[in-house]
Amino acid sequence: MTRNRYLYAITTLLFFSVFHSCSRGGSKYLPYAEKTAGWLSSVAIEEDNAVYWPPQPDTTRTGNISLYHGSPGPVLFFLELYKASGDVSAKEQAVKGAEWLIKQAHKEKDGYFWTNIIYQDKPFPDAGLYTGTAGVGTVFLEMYSELKDEKYREYAKGAADYLNAAAVKEDSGKRWSQVVDIISGTAGTGMFMVRAAEVLNEPVYLETAVEAGLYLMDQAIIEDTGNKWAIYKGYDKIYPNFSHGTSGIAYYLALLFKKTGDQRFLDSALKGAEWLINNRENPGEGVAWYHHEPDAKDLYYVSYCHGPPGTARLFYQLYLDTNDEKWLDLVKESARWLMNPDIHEHEHDGYWNVSQCCGTAGIGDFFVNMYKITGEETYYSWAEKMVVELSHQATEESGGLKWYNAEHRTIPGEKYTQTGWAQGASGIGLFFLKMFAIESEKQSYNVLALPDCPFDW
């Protein structure tokens, strides 16, 4: 994706800003979210007063329950649009999307699970935050928190009850999977349990999350330079960054320290951070971490999954835990690396799409979070640049905005429109809504923060 085109993109942004100057008092950012909503509404499929969004509407009409690719992303986006703008039609879309998720629930172990996996002609439970039950449970926590409908509490609690019963007891603690990561593994599921314990006032969920933390501590690979984690024991690659790697596991342990005060979790998180510090690279100004070892130590991603926007979450959580400025400095150094002009103006191997997970929206989301916690205008300016880039990459269709996106770096020619949080329009729309929240002087609602996000709005 060639990026030496900011002049053209700026004219695009100005066009949209002028075109929508009468909308919502001249907001620069809400119209982008509204146009994103327009496209998402146009591809939604309604069944029996419920709605779902195919992950790739150009190629399939099949529904998907994952927070990564599926309908949970659009539900959260429309709920957030309702919170931001009061648009009742957005609320209706969120409610109908939640109804479709209810219809996909499988009753088991005194609770509910959700899955996209069919094994031997039967649904196979998936606990993951971005792949299964924990992600859907997160949607219901958000719906309940905003709309106060007991139905949503029932399904949020049902997800947590199922996961509480399904946790596998090991000598060191409990797990939901031998995979330890944020995306589908024990760390991500544990983050949902921490959130569920707070929202639903059910301490037993935190107790299980603590057991999961003890299991993860036991899975650490101990080195002289600190602790690291493989995605599962015996896996031959080590990912340093957030979604599948050391910083994500250490972040979960740091979060458990915040919630429990148990020093063991902070000590283990600090060991993970020590390993990251000792293995950081300075490919430009600032700091970043390679994609994985041993055979991709020259590849640097730029966004949430394997780049500084995700990895810096650990350092910010450690700053919250310890009040030690050195951790905030590392967050800032992570942001500084992303300001390297070579990343944005030329081809870069680790920057090939526009999404929250891997590309422009994830970078923008990080910068707007940085502005929120520091008040430094440089970060806001960079977040605006990401809006510019997204405006240039957008395709207008029937009054809405969509994005063609190459999900996989190794097959850049396979570009599709997508609807989900990680790779699609709903994740991009949520970034626009964060920008609108900053723009709005009278922000009076809680901006969405997923269970793996430490940036408190």
Side-chain angles (χ1 to χ4, degrees), residues 322-430:
T322 66
N323 203 33
D324 188 334
E325 291 286 335
K326 76 176 182 181
W327 301 117
L328 185 59
D329 289 343
L330 270 171
V331 180
K332 292 180 177 180
E333 286 294 299
S334 300
R336 186 188 303 180
W337 182 77
L338 289 167
M339 297 175 186
N340 184 341
D342 285 343
I343 293 173
H344 302 276
E345 296 176 7
H346 306 287
E347 295 291 341
H348 186 279
D349 287 345
Y351 187 7
W352 73 95
N353 84 14
V354 297
S355 70
Q356 278 277 0
C357 179
C358 311
T360 310
I363 298 171
D365 193 78
F366 180 49
F367 279 128
V368 74
N369 284 329
M370 289 297 295
Y371 175 73
K372 179 67 176 177
I373 66 173
T374 68
E376 296 179 19
E377 290 292 336
T378 297
Y379 298 126
Y380 188 71
S381 174
W382 272 93
E384 287 185 310
K385 290 179 182 179
M386 297 306 101
V387 175
V388 168
E389 178 66 14
L390 287 166
S391 74
H392 176 67
Q393 296 292 332
T395 298
E396 282 212 71
E397 181 177 273
S398 302
L401 291 179
K402 64 181 183 179
W403 287 263
Y404 287 93
N405 197 44
E407 179 171 348
H408 302 291
R409 178 183 61 84
T410 55
I411 42 177
E414 288 192 8
K415 292 189 176 184
Y416 306 97
T417 60
Q418 294 201 41
T419 59
W421 174 85
Q423 296 290 341
S426 59
I428 294 170
L430 283 165

Side-chain angles (χ1 to χ4, degrees), residues 24 34 37 78-79 81-93:
R24 307 294 182 189
E34 291 172 329
F78 279 108
L79 180 65
L81 180 58
Y82 166 67
K83 288 158 59 177
S85 67
D87 185 344
V88 175
S89 66
K91 175 185 174 182
E92 291 172 353
Q93 287 284 73

Side-chain angles (χ1 to χ4, degrees), residues 53-132:
W53 289 265
Q56 295 180 1
D58 294 338
T59 63
T60 181
R61 293 176 61 84
T62 304
N64 183 299
I65 59 83
S66 75
L67 177 54
Y68 192 92
H69 283 119
S71 290
V75 173
L76 291 172
F77 166 69
F78 279 108
L79 180 65
E80 198 73 1
L81 180 58
Y82 166 67
K83 288 158 59 177
S85 67
D87 185 344
V88 175
S89 66
K91 175 185 174 182
E92 291 172 353
Q93 287 284 73
V95 167
K96 287 182 177 182
E99 188 63 28
W100 184 81
L101 291 171
I102 288 171
K103 292 176 184 293
Q104 310 312 305
H106 301 277
K107 180 95 172 136
E108 189 175 311
K109 294 183 184 293
D110 298 323
Y112 300 103
F113 75 85
W114 286 261
T115 185
N116 289 314
I117 304 169
I118 302 298
Y119 179 70
Q120 295 182 344
D121 298 324
K122 293 182 180 180
F124 187 81
D126 185 337
L129 178 60
Y130 284 96
T131 58

